[in-house]
Amino acid sequence: MSDSGSYGRRMGSALILLILLVGAVFTLFPVYMGVLNSFKTQGAMMNDMMAFPSQLEFKNYADAIHKTSFSRSLWNTVVVTAVGLFGIILFAAMAGYKLSRTPGKLSGFLFGLFVMSMLIPFHSIMITLTRIAKELAVQGSRVGLGMIYIGIGVSMAIFLYHGFVKSVPRELDEAAVIDGCGEFRLFAVVIFPLLLPITATIAILNTLWMWNDFLLPLLMLTDFKTYTLLLSTNMLFGEYGNNDWSAILSSLILAMLPMIVLYLILQKYILNGIAEGAIKG
Amino acid sequence: MASKTRRWKQTVTLLAFVFPALLFYAVFLLASAFGGIWYSFTDWNGLNPIYKWVGFGNYIEALTGDPVFLNSVGFTLKYVVCIVVFQNLIALGLAILIESRGRGKAWFRTIFFMPNMMSMIIGGFMWLFIFTKVLPYIAEHTLLHALDQSWIGDPRFSFIAIMIVSLWGGAGYLMVIYLAALQGVPQSLKEAAAIDGAGSFQTLRNITLPMIYPAITIGLFVTLNSSFKAFDVIYALTGGGPGRATQVLALNIYEEAFKMSNRFGYASAKAMILFLFVFLVTLIQLWVMKKREVEV
């Protein structure tokens, strides 16, 4: 009886392992095939798609780096994300903190005004947004794009800060005020460091969003010199279409590389941040 | 008197702290949202400074005289239903299976979440290579002849292709949420159930699932919200084709405004219809959550 029970359990455990392994292979398969064939010439690829490359063809990568202006595109993406991240974290922390601490109708109204926009899909505002960006002459500029991300991204960050600040004891504020600390200094020196856990979550969620966003940069950045990684990859794909896959694959691998490296270094924080953000958001 | 000046000071400080966020928010988001509502009632073409008010004309045209738009609404709804069901089932299944394992937990979690680190533009192009080159190659060289289909060119198969890529890219995100919820289920409860003679399936149904109900609600609405707005996967994989068979709402709006006609006013009306869909879903979400809170 107990024998058959443990046998059944072992079989069940083996079956679970099998399902998970199949899932893992499926998840990695496209990336594996992409990496594998990015090191082959077009001819070698058509000859045998599944084989290891007989010799590593680095020319594809050299071409991709050249044609997408990889280092410039990477830098553009960094600039846009950094501007957006800086503004979202600083402005949302300030607003979320004060809105949470101040009672009254005005405070409630402002908080509601911010939260309301979390209902609005980006595609519903994008048409007028391009018009406004043009009027304000921020269209075509990387910093301008970062500023638009601030406008779109602050709501959720304010919501998260607003909830988190409730766990920071009020006595701290009062003690600091008695010590003669001004409001902004109180925030910068005492409060902001205490918000670090939720700041990390907000930084992770927003970096993922802005770095991987495609449509807004597509609408805003018109000059090739300002293209982000995704835009220049998309452009290369448009040029070579369906024909020269070995060139395209290497550019795809290059474009995903920064985030994959970041993931391997920070995965614990990223996975916790995702769970945290979803449960509180 | 003293309390009045204090109140006044409090208000000024509040405004000073909120102002930077409010400035960016008002200029880029609020102005765009209200501008969009306004333009949806006009025949503005995006360039001409002169345009005129057309009332509900755009809405009526979109809902009665535009079969392409109606098709994209239908396709979007089909996509939403399939994603909400399958993405949650797969994510929950993976989470339960991973949680049941002692060793290798972290590895599987890392691998399944990995596609979420990259844009679905990249993922979509990568899968396009799989569908148009690798699968035909495998079909030709092995016995898996069924893999040789027109995955992108045939509307029936391109829907399957879109589903595969969307699930590949999205299931890991929900899995992380479900895993976090599963880890919150007290071990003692499960042990107590086991002592009472419950099998692992019974424990799952009667203990674990009820305990993670809040997470399932979150999962349902995360997928509802994101699938209504799907754009990147379809842009990269099929471009809405063949023809316009796989054109989702967001892509239809994008093409109307920026690719084909530049009818900004008309496209704005479509964008408002998308907003109403998402708004409705959110209202239902709030209602369901409130009701459940009362019950618990």
Side-chain angles (χ1 to χ4, degrees), chain A residues 46-276:
Chain A
M46 295 324 275
N47 194 27
D48 193 346
M49 228 168 261
M50 312 299 285
F52 275 103
S54 50
Q55 60 183 74
L56 292 181
E57 181 69 40
F58 285 102
K59 193 176 161 298
N60 294 330
Y61 281 90
D63 282 353
I65 287 172
H66 175 70
K67 282 177 187 146
T68 59
S69 303
F70 180 74
S71 50
R72 189 175 62 199
S73 305
L74 181 64
W75 175 243
N76 290 339
T77 319
V78 170
V79 169
V80 171
T81 309
V83 170
L85 205 56
F86 175 80
I88 288 172
I89 287 176
L90 180 64
F91 299 158
M94 285 167 60
Y97 160 66
K98 260 301 163 214
L99 286 170
S100 184
R101 282 289 196 256
T102 315
K105 274 190 193 137
L106 177 67
S107 173
F109 168 76
L110 288 171
F111 183 61
L113 190 69
F114 281 115
V115 173
M116 182 188 78
S117 79
M118 287 162 67
L119 299 177
I120 304 176
F122 172 72
H123 309 92
S124 296
I125 63 162
M126 67 181 175
I127 300 167
T128 325
L129 184 60
T130 54
R131 174 74 198 199
I132 290 173
K134 204 180 257 171
E135 292 284 328
L136 295 175
V138 293
Q139 197 176 33
S141 132
R142 297 168 306 177
V143 176
L145 177 57
M147 282 165 32
I148 295 175
Y149 277 125
I150 299 175
I152 300 177
V154 281
S155 301
M156 196 194 58
I158 286 177
F159 182 76
L160 291 173
Y161 275 123
H162 187 271
F164 190 84
V165 164
K166 287 179 190 146
S167 69
V168 177
R170 255 171 199 279
E171 289 76 33
L172 279 175
D173 301 28
E174 281 148 22
V177 170
I178 290 165
D179 287 347
C181 194
E183 289 277 358
F184 284 101
R185 250 197 70 198
L186 162 71
F187 170 75
V189 179
V190 181
I191 303 295
F192 189 70
L194 293 173
L195 303 178
L196 187 66
I198 198 73
T199 301
T201 298
I202 289 170
I204 287 163
L205 293 174
N206 283 293
T207 305
L208 270 177
W209 162 52
M210 290 184 285
W211 191 280
N212 288 332
D213 191 32
F214 173 68
L215 187 51
L216 185 58
L218 183 70
L219 296 175
M220 291 300 155
L221 301 176
T222 39
D223 180 5
F224 174 64
K225 291 199 182 76
T226 60
Y227 271 14
T228 57
L229 274 178
L230 283 179
L231 288 185
S232 48
T233 309
N234 179 52
M235 190 196 64
L236 188 74
F237 185 83
E239 246 168 71
Y240 290 80
N242 233 325
N243 306 315
D244 190 3
W245 271 107
S246 51
I248 307 244
L249 288 174
S250 50
S251 82
L252 295 180
I253 304 298
L254 282 172
M256 74 166 79
L257 204 57
M259 281 316 240
I260 297 294
V261 170
L262 192 76
Y263 182 50
L264 294 179
I265 299 170
L266 296 176
Q267 57 157 305
K268 207 180 103 200
Y269 300 96
I270 293 173
L271 293 171
N272 288 341
I274 295 288
E276 195 98 328

Side-chain angles (χ1 to χ4, degrees), chain B residues 202-215:
Chain B
Q202 277 173 308
T203 312
L204 177 70
R205 224 189 91 184
N206 297 320
I207 308 280
T208 313
L209 286 184
M211 287 291 287
I212 61 164
Y213 240 74

Side-chain angles (χ1 to χ4, degrees), chain B residues 4-25:
Chain B
K4 208 172 178 188
T5 49
R6 241 197 68 186
R7 282 274 301 277
W8 175 242
K9 202 183 148 229
Q10 202 180 35
T11 307
V12 172
T13 327
L14 173 69
L15 289 176
F17 270 80
V18 172
F19 178 74
L22 191 60
L23 176 72
F24 284 93
Y25 177 70

